[in-house]
Amino acid sequence: MSRHGDGTYLEAEKYLALHSAPVIPTNIRIDPEEFNLVMQEYQYAFRSWGEKKKHFPRYGLPLVNDNGSMYNNPEPVCYPLDEWLEHLSEEDWVFDRDFTVKTPVFEHPVFDPLRVFDGYWARSCILRWDSESFFYPHSDTWLPSPILRLWGTTDPEHARFQFDRDYRRPDTPGLVPGMNPDMVDWPGEIEAGRIYLVDTSLIHTARSIGDHPTHQFFLAVHTDAYDIMKSVLNTTISV
């Protein structure tokens, strides 16, 4: 691994070997029925996903932040990071790996299958979208990468993960910044409660459809968890 910033970043060769497809199932699964009961218990801890696009019914529940509190106001892990950084001086900027403290809800037994990553967590939350909504196309990381992204949903019929049709990264030659990529649903099967490793160095988005709430797991781990990540994937990785 190469050194950059606040710690080790995962080299492109290892990152690409780990992400042999844009979406890869792990052997980790959260029980959807138990999870839904926990979300009812913590329904008042969700807060709007940023301030700029409140016409979208997007909410976040903090799982990993900078102090372990469920009720920070405002809460940067429940913001688009670009919006959070907008009014900060550069020396005050924060990124995924600056958030490392689990909140009480993340200690609930329903999340026990994820404890394999304890000690490596970065900015993480549960997304709740109360009707049709989406994220604009974007990427979460770059190469070498500081994080590995995990994603899942308890309602795959109404929550979709989408990628640019040609699986392009933002630095793809000829890709004009700000252009609207051609987004398509990930064609593979998504299992309710299954946790997936997703390649968010690619241009991607998530979308909900229908008129009822959907939940998504929006999780990040430090790239020092590389060997652990290999152990939970159902694939063979040689590097």
Side-chain angles (χ1 to χ4, degrees):
M1 293 185 183
S2 58
R3 284 277 173 183
H4 187 280
D6 61 350
T8 52
Y9 279 35
L10 190 63
E11 300 161 357
E13 179 186 11
K14 288 186 174 181
Y15 183 95
L16 296 173
L18 194 65
H19 296 82
S20 57
V23 178
I24 304 175
T26 71
N27 60 18
I28 298 171
R29 184 174 182 269
I30 305 299
D31 181 88
E33 292 186 8
E34 186 180 0
F35 172 84
N36 287 335
L37 293 175
V38 174
M39 292 301 99
Q40 291 177 28
E41 180 182 348
Y42 285 92
Q43 61 181 307
Y44 298 112
F46 281 87
R47 69 282 318 278
S48 177
W49 190 259
E51 295 293 325
K52 285 192 168 182
K53 298 180 175 67
K54 286 191 171 182
H55 54 288
F56 293 140
R58 307 182 308 188
Y59 303 91
L61 175 72
L63 298 181
V64 178
N65 60 15
D66 67 347
N67 64 0
S69 173
M70 297 286 299
Y71 301 101
N72 295 319
N73 186 20
E75 173 57 79
V77 305
C78 294
Y79 263 72
L81 267 186
D82 57 347
E83 181 182 337
W84 181 260
L85 301 180
E86 202 169 61
H87 303 294
L88 298 179
S89 58
E90 189 169 346
E91 59 266 24
D92 293 326
W93 285 2
V94 290
F95 297 97
D96 292 279
R97 291 191 347 188
D98 293 309
F99 304 98
T100 60
V101 184
K102 295 172 69 173
T103 63
V105 64
F106 208 16
E107 301 290 357
H108 192 283
V110 72
F111 294 110
D112 281 355
L114 289 163
R115 293 194 189 280
V116 64
F117 291 111
D118 279 2
Y120 297 96
W121 288 110
R123 172 177 172 255
S124 298
C125 62
I126 299 296
L127 302 175
R128 191 191 80 208
W129 294 348
D130 285 350
S131 63
E132 292 192 8
S133 195
F134 61 92
F135 283 153
Y136 287 97
H138 66 286
S139 63
D140 292 344
T141 191
W142 53 90
L143 302 180
S145 179
I147 63 163
L148 300 171
R149 173 71 69 204
L150 294 167
W151 175 86
T153 179
T154 54
D155 188 1
E157 184 177 350
H158 296 100
R160 309 289 172 82
F161 208 91
Q162 299 179 315
F163 290 91
D164 175 86
R165 183 181 298 276
D166 297 319
Y167 299 136
R168 293 176 294 183
R169 293 181 171 81
D171 58 356
T172 299
L175 185 63
V176 178
M179 72 180 294
N180 187 24
D182 184 7
M183 307 303 292
V184 293
D185 288 350
W186 171 245
E189 180 180 358
I190 299 296
E191 178 186 0
R194 179 69 58 191
I195 301 299
Y196 295 83
L197 173 69
V198 293
D199 185 355
T200 55
S201 73
L202 299 170
I203 299 171
H204 67 281
T205 187
R207 179 178 296 273
S208 64
I209 58 176
D211 57 2
H212 67 282
T214 60
H215 292 95
Q216 299 174 59
F217 303 95
F218 180 73
L219 313 173
V221 296
H222 195 292
T223 47
D224 282 354
Y226 174 76
D227 288 334
I228 297 173
M229 189 67 72
K230 287 199 301 182
S231 75
V232 303
L233 298 179
N234 299 317
T235 58
T236 300
I237 300 163
S238 61
V239 296

